Amino acid sequence: MKRVLIAGVGNILLGDDGVGPYVVRKLAANYVFEDGVELEDLGTPALDFIDHITGLDALIVVDAVNNGEPAGTITLYRKEDLTRQVSGVRMDPHSPALRESLLAAEWFGGSPKDVTLVGVSGESFSARCVLSEPVQAAVERAMRQILIALSRIGVGFVRQFAESPARTWWMRKPGEVQA
Amino acid sequence: MTKRITIDPITRIEGHLRVDIEVENNAVSNAWASCTMWRGIEKILEGRDPREAWLFTQRFCGVCTTVHALASVRGVEDALKLEIPANAQYIRNLILINHGLHDHTVHFYHLSALDWVDVLQIPKADPAKTSALAESISPWTGNSRNEMRAAQEKVKAVAASGQLGIFTNGYWGHPQMHLDPNVNLLAFSHYLQALEYQRKANQVVGMLGGKTPHIQNLTVGGVSNAINLDSQATLGMERLEAIKVLMDEVTAFVQQVYFVDACAIAAFYPDWFHIGGGVRNYLAVPDLPRDAAATVFDLPGGFIEDGNLSSVKVLQKASDQAFRDGVTEDVTHSYYEGKKALHPWKGETVPQVTEWEAEKKYSWVKAPRFQGKPMQVGPLSQVLIGYAQGHPLTRKWTDKALETVSTVSGRKVTINDMQSTMGRHLARAIRAAMLSDLATQHWQLLVDNVAKGDTAIHNNPVFPKGEIAGVGTHEAPRGTLSHWMVIEDGKIRNYQAVVPSTWNASPRDGAGVSGPYEASLMRSPVADPEKPLEVIRTIHSFDPCMACACHAFDPTGTRIATVKVL
């Protein structure tokens, strides 16, 4: 059994930054995965990300990216792409997240060999709980990239016959009751 | 000649702290602290059900996630005058204690120790001498010669591979680094061990909260942890014992390693007890209630003016009348409309975007004031306020710290010297030691209460027609946090979070009075304006967290400190 984590990362309160948690919850509602696969909405982790990734065989992260591409573009990053850049002076504890957790896990042992970041270029990161149109339209493609990444490492999944509602509670409008 | 330095480690969409200073004759002559992103996320809460507000507020931030959840439910309970069961208090307390222990440990070792520890010196250390030194000051079992040698080998290997950037600082070899090679190695070996212990503390948060970051077990009215001592499916004795084991390990690390290292590093930098004081008004709210009605607290609250400990006033309750009445937010220098300082229940958040202008508007942070004055918040405030009140647990650990630092440095360090950059670091270690003592106590309170047959965890909230207002307070790792809300017909009408970093990163107010970050930088030495290590040291001592970060991954990783000659 392979230990795999599919982690949605990002702030659900800040527009397109919430695409990671959204995609993961959507996947969880539509697919059943082999034992050993965990799906988690990790929100905005800092160094505690290390604890989630240590000991994994493979890590798939889905997150908004800021890479200058048009909104909704999907870019895949491998481990080397994520760890190559060296951070400089850090002012607050938010900055460590992904890059430094990977470096730290690498350094202390237990870093997943296979790392994929499914990056979705965002359009708007202002305070609201919905995705922009181009990012919403990219959700299906982001999910497909995650499934391809799973297939590549030989991890199985099946699509559920009937779609269940994704537990994206933050997208409800005030006063709206969840179905 | 005056130089203007902007330290602005931001990328396009990450909202972060920016600091601008003017340096004249190697000392800071003026300072501005700004936050670079709008913190208007409270708007999202308008019209929502107060019972689910905490799910949203804890997403403000992934570092301080539990604290915003807690302050939110406490605020709704305050508005409803709803008491929660004793078990719920203890479970919440255990979460906040362990979150604090995790957070303080990470801050000291992983976010700020490398301002004082020079990794480049480590290859020159003698592991045998380092081990002997360590064993002379602490009974910790992880100080063996082999442990030190292994840590040194790791650094050598990383240095040889040219990847020292993993430590994400940049000021190696700076002339202001003063530790001897053996102390550098000692601190570094504990940097490695700390990763393991911060994880254990966080594990406790996960075991009680269901998940971390972003706990799942709170309710307005209590918690959702079903209790049955004999069942493995609920919070029973088996899980409580597992939690106790983890907490005991963390306690040993905090008291025998973190606390000792903080004292040792402080002793090697005694000058830093006279740098970085700044705003000398201090505020802390009481926390860790010992009873259902929250009448007795294990962390005392109060306020001190002008650095005068004998002026201490006590805040008796979590939302004491003096606190409820005393808080305002001023937006003269913030990117919002309005001129008057407003009470948070009447607070407005209407953005007014301008350029960064030192004399006008320059920050997204509002300027909170207590009784009209800027306040410093955080572990230092809590320690000074507890000490001034003669709180026994605060006295126990503070006296121990002051005595140790004085002995090792050969210079008398007093409680008043704590009002400094180094004092903030030492106070955080003191607070961690206090919390570790309290971890056991609150675990016992929970077990004893359940053993009496009380398994209540929740009281049902009932929302009246009409308008009610409440404030939820929490003395968080970074200081006083308050969530202010107005609820109308069971729906949120206004919500304002006044977070610790808002107090500390406050811009100037209408009267031109600076907040704590800005004031603490005034007159600070800056040996090399190209590498403003001293500024970073003082800012880090506050443990800044702008609670507004966006997490989008930026593949360029741009980090900048720019220097301009004026």
Side-chain angles (χ1 to χ4, degrees), chain B residues 213-233:
Chain B
H214 313 308
I215 53 171
Q216 301 293 312
N217 70 316
L218 296 188
T219 63
V220 168
V223 294
S224 59
N225 307 70
I227 298 177
N228 177 349
L229 286 187
D230 302 323
S231 162
Q232 292 180 5

Side-chain angles (χ1 to χ4, degrees), chain B residues 178-234:
Chain B
H178 293 315
L179 296 184
D180 86 45
N182 294 329
V183 181
N184 277 308
L185 173 57
L186 178 61
F188 182 73
S189 71
H190 295 159
Y191 171 109
L192 301 180
Q193 295 174 20
L195 270 177
E196 180 67 14
Y197 288 89
Q198 63 82 23
R199 189 175 65 83
K200 290 179 194 285
N202 211 19
Q203 243 177 309
V204 176
V205 177
M207 288 166 80
L208 291 167
K211 158 175 192 291
T212 173
H214 313 308
I215 53 171
Q216 301 293 312
N217 70 316
L218 296 188
T219 63
V220 168
V223 294
S224 59
N225 307 70
I227 298 177
N228 177 349
L229 286 187
D230 302 323
S231 162
Q232 292 180 5
T234 62

Side-chain angles (χ1 to χ4, degrees), chain B residues 268-509:
Chain B
F268 275 88
Y269 289 98
D271 293 349
W272 283 87
F273 282 106
H274 304 284
I275 297 172
V279 169
R280 290 156 63 90
N281 307 318
Y282 301 94
L283 172 70
V285 287
D287 211 325
L288 295 184
R290 289 181 69 96
D291 56 342
T295 57
V296 184
F297 296 89
D298 271 331
L299 295 175
F303 52 100
I304 289 173
E305 287 178 62
D306 295 328
N308 176 11
L309 267 60
S310 61
S311 78
V312 70
K313 305 246 180 2
V314 179
L315 292 173
Q316 299 284 7
K317 292 197 293 186
S319 61
D320 202 276
Q321 201 59 39
F323 185 77
R324 295 169 91 90
D325 294 342
V327 178
T328 54
E329 291 192 289
D330 181 301
V331 294
T332 310
H333 292 280
S334 317
Y335 299 127
Y336 301 100
E337 283 180 10
K339 289 229 162 56
K340 269 199 323 214
L342 295 175
H343 188 275
W345 281 326
K346 304 214 159 65
E348 295 170 1
T349 314
V350 183
Q352 181 187 335
V353 188
T354 66
E355 290 297 304
W356 190 98
E357 290 181 279
E359 302 307 318
K360 292 180 183 160
K361 290 187 181 285
Y362 61 87
S363 181
W364 282 110
V365 168
K366 295 180 182 178
R369 295 293 180 263
F370 177 70
Q371 299 182 347
K373 292 183 176 172
M375 288 280 155
Q376 189 177 145
V377 301
L380 173 60
S381 297
Q382 202 185 72
V383 164
L384 292 176
I385 288 161
Y387 198 91
Q389 294 175 28
H391 180 247
L393 186 63
T394 311
R395 290 251 166 170
K396 168 186 153 185
W397 286 104
T398 309
D399 287 339
K400 189 167 179 188
L402 293 173
E403 198 184 296
T404 310
V405 176
S406 300
T407 308
V408 178
S409 70
R411 283 207 228 175
K412 181 89 183 141
V413 176
T414 68
I415 184 72
N416 280 320
D417 296 331
M418 292 289 286
Q419 304 186 53
S420 60
T421 293
M422 193 52 84
R424 278 187 283 272
H425 280 299
L426 200 55
R428 197 168 288 110
I430 290 167
R431 182 177 194 263
M434 290 167 58
L435 287 177
S436 66
D437 276 351
L438 292 168
T440 311
Q441 290 187 29
H442 283 259
W443 183 89
Q444 199 62 53
L445 284 169
L446 175 63
V447 171
D448 291 349
N449 193 57
V450 175
K452 280 191 311 199
D454 178 2
T455 54
I457 52 168
H458 173 80
N459 293 330
N460 211 27
V462 180
F463 290 87
K465 279 271 171 215
E467 185 185 297
I468 50 173
V471 54
T473 64
H474 168 33
E475 191 60 23
R478 289 168 188 79
T480 300
L481 169 67
S482 51
H483 282 206
W484 305 74
M485 59 202 75
V486 179
I487 298 167
E488 194 177 358
D489 297 338
K491 296 273 184 297
I492 291 169
R493 206 186 67 207
N494 194 0
Y495 201 104
Q496 299 282 330
V498 184
V499 310
S501 296
T502 316
W503 288 101
N504 286 337
S506 157
R508 288 155 174 76
D509 57 25

Side-chain angles (χ1 to χ4, degrees), chain B residues 19-285:
Chain B
V19 173
D20 289 75
I21 50 168
E22 282 174 8
V23 179
E24 229 178 298
N25 302 323
N26 292 99
V28 174
S29 55
N30 214 341
W32 295 265
S34 26
C35 176
T36 59
M37 204 174 98
W38 187 28
R39 285 203 63 257
I41 29 195
E42 294 115 316
K43 285 241 162 224
I44 289 169
L45 295 165
E46 287 172 14
R48 290 193 188 273
D49 188 329
R51 288 172 299 183
E52 64 171 17
W54 67 277
L55 282 169
F56 286 85
T57 58
Q58 74 161 332
R59 297 278 178 152
F60 282 172
C61 165
V63 176
C64 324
T65 156
T66 57
V67 309
H68 289 296
L70 197 63
S72 181
V73 292
R74 283 180 173 176
V76 185
E77 288 154 6
D78 178 63
L80 295 172
K81 310 228 174 343
L82 176 66
E83 196 176 298
I84 67 168
N87 290 329
Q89 297 285 27
Y90 304 140
I91 289 170
R92 289 178 181 186
N93 289 347
L94 286 172
I95 288 178
L96 75 89
I97 287 170
N98 284 284
H99 170 69
L101 291 172
H102 151 80
D103 201 277
H104 290 334
T105 306
V106 167
H107 179 262
F108 183 73
Y109 286 102
H110 306 113
L111 301 172
S112 65
L114 297 179
D115 296 348
W116 312 91
V117 173
D118 189 350
V119 175
L120 295 183
Q121 297 293 319
I122 291 170
K124 296 178 202 154
D126 176 344
K129 284 192 181 147
T130 305
S131 172
L133 167 72
E135 287 174 350
S136 74
I137 54 176
S138 170
W140 182 244
T141 52
N143 283 332
S144 71
R145 195 183 299 195
N146 284 341
E147 193 85 33
M148 296 303 142
R149 186 170 294 123
Q152 189 183 38
E153 289 308 319
K154 284 212 168 199
V155 173
K156 284 183 178 167
V158 174
S161 73
Q163 284 187 323
L164 274 178
I166 182 180
F167 302 114
T168 61
N169 198 292
Y171 294 148
W172 318 127
H174 194 285
Q176 296 301 312
M177 294 285 193
H178 293 315
L179 296 184
D180 86 45
N182 294 329
V183 181
N184 277 308
L185 173 57
L186 178 61
F188 182 73
S189 71
H190 295 159
Y191 171 109
L192 301 180
Q193 295 174 20
L195 270 177
E196 180 67 14
Y197 288 89
Q198 63 82 23
R199 189 175 65 83
K200 290 179 194 285
N202 211 19
Q203 243 177 309
V204 176
V205 177
M207 288 166 80
L208 291 167
K211 158 175 192 291
T212 173
H214 313 308
I215 53 171
Q216 301 293 312
N217 70 316
L218 296 188
T219 63
V220 168
V223 294
S224 59
N225 307 70
I227 298 177
N228 177 349
L229 286 187
D230 302 323
S231 162
Q232 292 180 5
T234 62
L235 188 57
M237 220 43 228
E238 189 174 316
R239 199 171 318 163
L240 283 165
E241 288 295 353
I243 285 169
K244 182 72 167 51
V245 168
L246 286 166
M247 293 198 313
D248 287 347
E249 290 181 75
V250 172
T251 297
F253 183 81
V254 165
Q255 299 189 358
Q256 297 173 17
V257 182
Y258 172 19
F259 180 81
V260 176
D261 285 355
C263 291
I265 289 179
F268 275 88
Y269 289 98
D271 293 349
W272 283 87
F273 282 106
H274 304 284
I275 297 172
V279 169
R280 290 156 63 90
N281 307 318
Y282 301 94
L283 172 70
V285 287

Side-chain angles (χ1 to χ4, degrees), chain A residues 11 17 41-45 48 51-52 64 66 85 88-94 97 99-100 107-108 169 172, chain B residues 9 12 16 48 52 59 62 110-111 154 158 168 192 195 199 202 211-213 540 544 551-556:
Chain A
N11 194 329
D17 202 37
D41 158 14
L42 289 185
T44 48
D48 47 0
D51 310 335
H52 290 278
N66 177 29
Q85 284 292 334
V89 171
R90 181 169 57 203
M91 297 288 266
D92 72 26
H94 286 288
R99 175 181 296 122
E100 289 182 33
W107 211 52
F108 300 114
W169 48 267
R172 293 200 314 267
Chain B
R12 187 167 59 88
H16 278 296
R48 290 193 188 273
E52 64 171 17
R59 297 278 178 152
H110 306 113
L111 301 172
K154 284 212 168 199
V158 174
T168 61
L192 301 180
L195 270 177
R199 189 175 65 83
N202 211 19
K211 158 175 192 291
T212 173
H540 277 173
H551 241 258
F553 180 75
D554 188 321
T556 60

